[in-house]
Every structure is written in structure tokens, then in C-alpha cells.
Amino acid sequence: MERFSRFVLANRRAIAAFWLVLFLTGGWASSVLSKHLNQSFTIAGTPTVAATDAMVAQYHVGGGFDPVVPVFVLPPGVTAEAARPRLEPALAAVPGRVVDYYNTGDRAFVGADGRTMFALVFTPATGDQVKDAEAQTDAVRVLPHQLAAAAPPGTQVHVTGITPLSSNGSGGGNGVLTEALLGGAGALIVLAFVFGSFLALLPLMIAAVSILSSYLVVLLLTEFMKVQAVVQYMVGLIGLGVAIDYSLLLVTRWREEVAHGADNETAVHRAMATAGRAVLVSGLTVALGLLSLIVVPIQFMRSIGIGGMLIPMVSVAVTLTLLPIALTGFGRRLDWPRLRHEAKPSRAWTAWARWVVRRRWVAAGLALVVLVTLAVTALGIHEGDPTTDSLAKSGDARQGLVALRAADIPSGVLNTYVVLTPPNTEPTTLMPGNGIDAVVPVTTPPPGTEKTPTTRWPMTVVLPSDEAATAQGQHVAKLTRTNLDKAVPGVLIASSALANIDNIHKMYGQFPVLLAVLAILTFLVLARTFRSLLLPAKAVLANLLSVAAAYGGMVLIWQDGHGSHAIWGVPATGGIPFWIPMIVFAFLYGLSMDYEVFILSRMREEFDAGASTNEAVVVGLGRTGRLVTSAALILFMAFAALASAPPTFLKIFATGLGVGILLDATVVRALLVPALVSLFGRWNWVLPAWAARILRVEPSP
């Protein structure tokens, strides 16, 4: 790394000009990137997708979305039949496929009070998920006024459904730029506390260059593959935290070398040889964690893995090239008024490390109690979309849902199943009961096709009692598909409950392979870095336990509602969206390893310099404790900014990352890691000759 830092300083003008060009071009890229990103979370190749595609091809409706549900509360004395002359033609004129009381004659569409009535509107679809979503959004906006104008005077008209509930009640929020600025402001406060000088501005400068350069690289990537829109949030917020983490480590080590009497350039070379190496290894482990998502046979997950991998790699590149140039150019001038000094380790963290060494069994025990308790809680995770109660808290969509329930109409009707049976086969034999509220054959042809010969498969709408987000709703959907598959060969069923089941199966079917590949690669990288077999094995296991504990935090806060309502005003979701645990795992596994590398690299350095194991623990934690907790706090604030985004799924995602980072920086790195290193003693540092030959490093007897 010292040779590399000499190359950087020898070519400082060319390198600085290169990053300036990328910074300016990245600013332009950030303004156009969203237009090039893919908004779809569709997982191809599942039975549900086949049913959805058949609906689009034969009926030109659906597009993978649950129907829009108009709800009518008629005035006293007015029945559904009495309202027929006004409402029947109005519903028939709605674009798409409408299923209601008037065209089916089924009383399931009328509530127990006789005055509340609902309809199912399957909006027009082309197979393009973005355009289909826009069509459904347009319908939600237009239908209330259109239907209210036709309804009998005094009728309350609401339009509800999963889409309007999701968009009308997830709360206000900020854009990516606003969230990045919020995270940056919080980071500046922490950095000012850490450095006590204007050096706090340097990591923010590196983060700005890293983020905008990453946007440019992601934009280029969209020319070769579809990149999921979530990557835009990840670059802005996680890029902010990661870039500052790496800068913080390098600047702190440079400051320490300057405090020991080194001149500017010598301090840079020494910092690059030690902290720079740790940054490189740390960035590699974060990138490996994200790149592991390519094992998942799902296009949008692979795009998140590849796009997310660019964040740490670009941040490492900027940190190891632009930051040394900045430090040699104006680092000393920025280090004013120098309220903090790096000549000695932090007193507070040194005292804490000594306590952990003295009480290592107690420290390890406390850490394991916290982590194992949360990990056990994670076993109760239910992977499913949020329930309707956790979506809209007010507004027209919420009022429609309340009106349905008041008339004893189950909210499961918002997640209907659409059954398509092959021509010349027996029609579905499903009957109401056992979780099914009604089975409604749709016999009327789509508008405008009455005289057109067709080979459309007969369509039946099934109204379940339970929402797709609940465990019971998924159980009924699975049982329904099993029974229909036996009774009607070739039957297709479109259902959000079944889509969730299919997606979970496809996404997590390869999870053991992903886990094994990632664990082996991480072990090899860390074994070479630490020149030890025990330390990397412990690091991998501690990381897995840390991620499991983060899952437990998500279950407690969101699924069970112990915090979601108090903080965001959102009731318990009853489930975690199926893709979030996978991405949280990929990010946390790598981000958590940052701190492991920072701390253990310094402990290894002290041990190699002649310190005992316990002395290495005390000095290593004394030197890195404040850095790690500050870096974790900055990342946490970045995730808190991300949690201010409107969608509930982003709030859940940000919470998982935030809880994981806090647990890792406090319970794991401040308690468990130093306690275990002290307990293992000299065995931490052993690397047999045979292993050293494989890893191509010096043995550590």
C-alpha cells in the first residue's frame, strides 16, 4: 500500500482531475438516473407470473396487481337493486374488467346491512409493470369522482384496494437528495465531535465524490442490464455512510502519525500502509456480501447485488486515491482548531477495554444473551406484505376499508384470486367455506368483445376471507391451489398470496448456497488479512449472529409493532416483505465486517509489535473504539434518513440496517469481539505453515 500511495502522490494532478470530471458528470447522471431504473419487483418463472401473463394476454387486465375496489354506502332506504339503474351503467363504463353484483348476481358483493356494496376493478394492463401501475394509479384518482357523479344522492363513494392503501397512508417523505442532505448534516455533527477541527469536512468531500461517481457508474450499468430503483436509495444513503467510514479511518490514522512527529507525506504513507490496507479489505468484504446476491436466480436481486457492490468499490477507490492527495495538499491547514489529539488512545475506550479484559466472561455472556434473544425472536419472522391496517391511516382508501368491515365484508376481498381454467375442462369445483367467502364465475365478456370469437379461458373470481399478508391467508391460498391443481389439470391462479409464496421459494431456495459461498470467501480474505484461522472463523460466526439479531429487531419493531406505531405512526405490519431479509443480510454482512476489520487489524498490528494479547486488545480498542462507534452512528443516521422515505417497505428496510449496525458496533464489537479475543489468548494469532502456503502469506506460529 505504501508503494501505491507514492504512485498516487506522484500523479496527484491527473488523479484529482479524473475525480473532478467524474464528480461533475456524476452530478448530471444523478438528475437523469431515475428514468433509467427498473421499478419492477416481478420474479419470472413462477406459476403466479404465468397466471398473470395469461390474464394480460387474454383479458388485457391485471398486470400482477390486486384489483381496485370501489365501495358504495347507499343512503338509508336505498337498496342495491334500487340503485341499479344508476350504478350498473356507471360500473360497466369503467375501463378494464369489472366484477360486481350487477353483472354476477352474487350477493357476496353486498354487505350485511344491505346498503354497502363493493365492486372489483381489474385495471387495463399491457404487461409493462410500470405502465400498468400508472394505469391503476390513474383509475384510483378518477374513479371516486366518476362513480360519485352516477350514484344516488346521499351515497358515500370510496375507492380502496392494496394500491390506494399503500400510497395513501405510508406517510410523508423526502426524496433521495433530501435524505442524503439530512444524513450529511448529521454526519458533519459527528465528524466535528470526532476531529474537533475542520478536518470534519474532508470525509464529506470524499462521500460527495463517491456518491456522484457511483451514480455515473450505475447509469452506465443500466445500458447493459436492468437495475432496480432501490439501488438509487442505496447509493445515496449507504454510499454516504461507507465513504465516510473509510475516510474516517484513514484520516484518523494520518492524524495519529502526524501527532507522533511524522511530516505530511510520511504520515500519509504510513496511514495508507496500515489503515489504507484495512479500508481495502473492508471494501472487499462489503462488496462480496452484496455480490453474493448473484447466486439468487432473480433478475432484480442480481441487479441490486451488482449495483450495490459498486458503492463500496467506488468509495474505496476515492478514499485511497483522492484522500491522500487532499491530506498532503491542505490536511494540516484544515486541522484547526485541533480540539482533539491522536497522540494517545482514547482514555474512555482504553478504560472500557480494560474492564472487558478483566470481566471477559461477563462481557461475552452479556453480549450473547442480547444477540441470542433477538436471534430467537427472528425465528418467528413471517415473510409477507404489510397488512392493510399498517398501510393507510386516513384518507379515502382507509374510509373504504372501514366501510367494508362495518358491513361484515372481510378485508380479504382486496386480495382476490383469479382462476383461469383451460377450455373444455370441468369448471372449478371450489365452494365457499374454509377461508373462502365466495366463488364467483365471471360469465360476461369484456366490454367491446361480445361478438368477437375468442379462446379465452373461463375466469372465476375467488373472494378469500383473510388478507394475503396474513399466515392464514397464505395457508388458504396454498390449499386452494393444491385442490384446484388436482381437480383441474393446467389451471392457472393469479393471487398476491400465492405470488408471495412462489417468490419466497424462488428467492430463498439458493440461500444455503449463498451462505456457504459467502462464508468461505470471507474466511479466506480475512485469514489472509489477519494471518490467523481462528479470528476469521470467529468473525464470520459473529457476523451471522449479528444479522440474525437484526432480523429479530425487525420482527419486534415492525411485524409485532413494538415501535413502528410510536415512531412512524404505523401499526404492526404482521409481516416483513419477502425480499427485505435477503438484502438486509447482504448489506449487513459486509457493513458489519467493516468494524471487525478496523478493530482486529489494529489488534494484530499491536500484537506483531510485541504486545501481549490483552495489551493488543486494550490498545486496539482504545485506538478504534471512538472511530467505530462514530462511524456506526453516521451510518445509523443515514439509515434514519432513508426511513423518512414514504414507502413502508423502505422504512422496514432502513430499520433492519439501522438496528443491525447499532447492535454490531456496540454489543458485538465493543463487548463480544474484545472479550473473545482475550479469552482465546495466543490461539488468535496462529496460522500454521500449511495454511500460510495456501494463503501465500507469512506463517504466524
Side-chain angles (χ1 to χ4, degrees):
M1 287 302 295
E2 188 170 342
R3 184 184 302 173
F4 176 75
S5 68
R6 293 186 186 281
F7 168 81
V8 168
L9 295 185
N11 298 274
R12 65 186 75 190
R13 290 188 178 180
I15 292 172
F18 172 77
W19 286 118
L20 178 61
V21 170
L22 259 64
F23 174 75
L24 296 175
T25 313
W28 163 80
S30 67
S31 66
V32 301
L33 179 60
S34 59
K35 300 176 184 177
H36 297 262
L37 296 175
N38 181 29
Q39 305 287 336
S40 173
F41 282 95
T42 299
I43 298 179
T46 65
T48 312
V49 169
T52 298
D53 291 344
M55 275 187 71
V56 173
Q58 297 182 34
Y59 292 95
H60 309 295
V61 296
F65 296 96
D66 287 302
V68 174
V69 183
V71 180
F72 306 91
V73 182
L74 299 169
V78 179
T79 64
E81 279 299 328
R84 181 188 286 267
R86 298 179 67 104
L87 289 181
E88 184 175 21
L91 287 168
V94 173
R97 186 78 157 144
V98 181
V99 182
D100 57 40
Y101 168 69
Y102 298 124
N103 59 25
T104 65
D106 199 308
R107 294 292 299 182
F109 291 95
V110 181
D113 59 0
R115 295 192 301 113
T116 302
M117 183 174 62
F118 72 95
L120 303 174
V121 177
F122 297 92
T123 49
T126 63
D128 183 322
Q129 195 171 43
V130 175
K131 293 180 179 178
D132 296 345
E134 291 173 352
Q136 189 165 81
T137 301
D138 290 341
V140 171
R141 185 176 61 252
V142 171
L143 280 178
H145 307 289
Q146 179 181 332
L147 296 176
T155 302
Q156 299 176 34
V157 180
H158 309 290
V159 174
T160 189
I162 299 302
T163 295
L165 283 167
S166 299
S167 58
N168 177 30
S170 54
N174 306 300
V176 179
L177 178 60
T178 304
E179 290 161 8
L181 291 174
L182 287 172
L188 181 59
I189 295 172
V190 177
L191 291 170
F193 172 77
V194 172
F195 291 121
S197 75
F198 285 99
L199 272 176
L201 297 173
L202 263 187
L204 288 178
M205 180 193 79
I206 297 301
V209 175
S210 299
I211 291 169
L212 292 182
S213 299
S214 296
Y215 279 139
L216 178 61
V217 179
V218 171
L219 181 61
L220 293 174
L221 186 63
T222 61
E223 296 297 319
F224 303 96
M225 63 181 293
K226 292 181 179 179
V227 178
Q228 229 292 326
V230 172
V231 172
Q232 187 178 23
Y233 286 93
M234 294 177 175
V235 170
L237 278 304
I238 296 176
L240 175 72
V242 168
I244 289 177
D245 273 10
Y246 298 157
S247 305
L248 188 58
L249 181 65
L250 194 63
V251 173
T252 301
R253 190 54 185 263
W254 168 82
R255 225 177 168 210
E256 182 183 332
E257 297 298 337
V258 168
H260 289 154
D263 62 76
N264 231 8
E265 288 204 12
T266 302
V268 166
H269 296 321
R270 290 178 181 173
M272 287 285 283
T274 52
R277 185 167 176 266
V279 166
L280 182 61
V281 173
S282 178
L284 182 60
T285 56
V286 176
L288 281 175
L290 289 162
L291 192 59
S292 65
L293 290 178
I294 65 173
V295 175
V296 181
I298 298 170
Q299 190 278 328
F300 80 78
M301 289 297 294
R302 287 175 172 170
S303 78
I304 291 174
I306 295 172
M309 175 203 67
L310 297 173
I311 304 168
M313 298 310 293
V314 172
S315 298
V316 167
V318 178
T319 302
L320 297 184
T321 55
L322 188 58
L323 187 54
I325 295 171
L327 288 173
T328 54
F330 45 84
R332 292 249 187 173
R333 290 195 294 274
L334 281 179
D335 197 10
W336 181 87
R338 205 180 304 173
L339 300 177
R340 286 187 178 274
H341 301 274
E342 302 293 342
K344 295 180 180 180
S346 164
R347 289 183 180 179
W349 280 100
T350 299
W352 174 260
R354 286 184 177 135
W355 180 87
V356 171
V357 168
R358 286 197 307 270
R359 301 285 187 271
R360 49 197 173 192
W361 285 105
V362 174
L366 287 174
L368 287 173
V369 166
V370 173
L371 295 172
V372 171
T373 300
L374 285 172
V376 170
T377 303
L379 296 176
I381 191 169
H382 168 63
E383 291 165 324
D385 292 328
T387 60
T388 53
D389 284 332
S390 66
L391 298 176
K393 302 179 290 295
S394 60
D396 185 61
R398 178 66 184 179
Q399 292 174 18
L401 178 62
V402 171
L404 287 176
R405 289 175 172 168
D408 292 333
I409 298 171
S411 55
V413 301
L414 305 185
N415 299 121
T416 56
Y417 315 157
V418 176
V419 180
L420 300 178
T421 51
N424 304 318
T425 60
E426 289 295 325
T428 173
T429 56
L430 283 178
M431 298 293 289
N434 297 322
I436 294 177
D437 195 55
V439 179
V440 186
V442 181
T443 56
T444 55
T449 64
E450 293 85 350
K451 299 179 181 179
T452 304
T454 181
T455 56
R456 290 186 184 89
W457 292 21
M459 176 177 172
T460 301
V461 171
V462 179
L463 305 181
S465 302
D466 298 285
E467 297 176 20
T470 65
Q472 179 63 16
Q474 291 189 19
H475 171 72
V476 171
K478 190 186 299 184
L479 187 62
T480 300
R481 180 160 66 181
T482 300
N483 292 337
L484 281 174
D485 283 340
K486 293 177 181 178
V488 187
V491 67
L492 296 174
I493 310 173
S495 155
S496 52
L498 291 173
N500 192 68
I501 294 168
D502 293 342
N503 292 342
I504 291 172
H505 176 73
K506 190 159 187 178
M507 178 170 289
Y508 293 95
Q510 298 297 320
F511 189 69
V513 176
L514 181 153
L515 201 62
V517 170
L518 184 57
I520 292 170
L521 289 176
T522 308
F523 177 84
L524 292 175
V525 170
L526 296 183
R528 200 174 190 281
T529 302
F530 300 143
R531 291 171 44 236
S532 164
L533 295 181
L534 182 60
L535 287 178
K538 177 193 64 62
V540 170
L541 293 174
N543 257 29
L544 294 177
L545 184 58
S546 177
V547 173
Y551 286 173
M554 284 194 298
V555 169
L556 286 174
I557 294 171
W558 285 102
Q559 183 173 308
D560 298 340
H562 301 301
S564 63
H565 192 273
I567 300 172
W568 292 278
V570 179
T573 61
I576 306 296
F578 74 93
W579 55 272
I580 286 181
M582 179 68 80
I583 302 183
V584 166
F585 168 81
F587 265 95
L588 274 187
Y589 187 88
L591 290 172
S592 299
M593 201 64 79
D594 268 3
Y595 308 136
E596 185 89 16
V597 172
F598 292 173
I599 294 173
L600 291 182
S601 292
R602 191 56 188 261
M603 290 181 183
R604 176 85 230 197
E605 185 182 334
E606 296 298 327
F607 181 81
D608 288 343
S612 67
T613 297
N614 285 345
E615 290 169 346
V617 169
V618 172
V619 175
L621 197 57
R623 283 291 185 188
T624 59
R626 187 174 75 228
L627 183 153
V628 165
T629 51
S630 300
L633 183 58
I634 290 169
L635 264 178
F636 177 79
M637 288 190 294
F639 298 143
L642 181 59
S644 69
T648 299
F649 73 84
L650 274 179
K651 297 179 188 295
I652 299 173
F653 173 56
T655 301
L657 292 176
V659 169
I661 287 297
L662 281 186
L663 283 173
D664 198 81
T666 54
V667 178
V668 178
R669 309 306 165 195
L671 271 177
L672 187 62
V673 168
L676 291 180
V677 172
S678 179
L679 282 169
F680 293 146
R682 65 187 181 88
W683 294 104
N684 290 290
W685 322 109
V686 173
L687 181 66
W690 61 267
R693 284 195 299 271
I694 295 173
L695 297 170
R696 301 177 67 84
V697 294
E698 290 294 321
S700 180

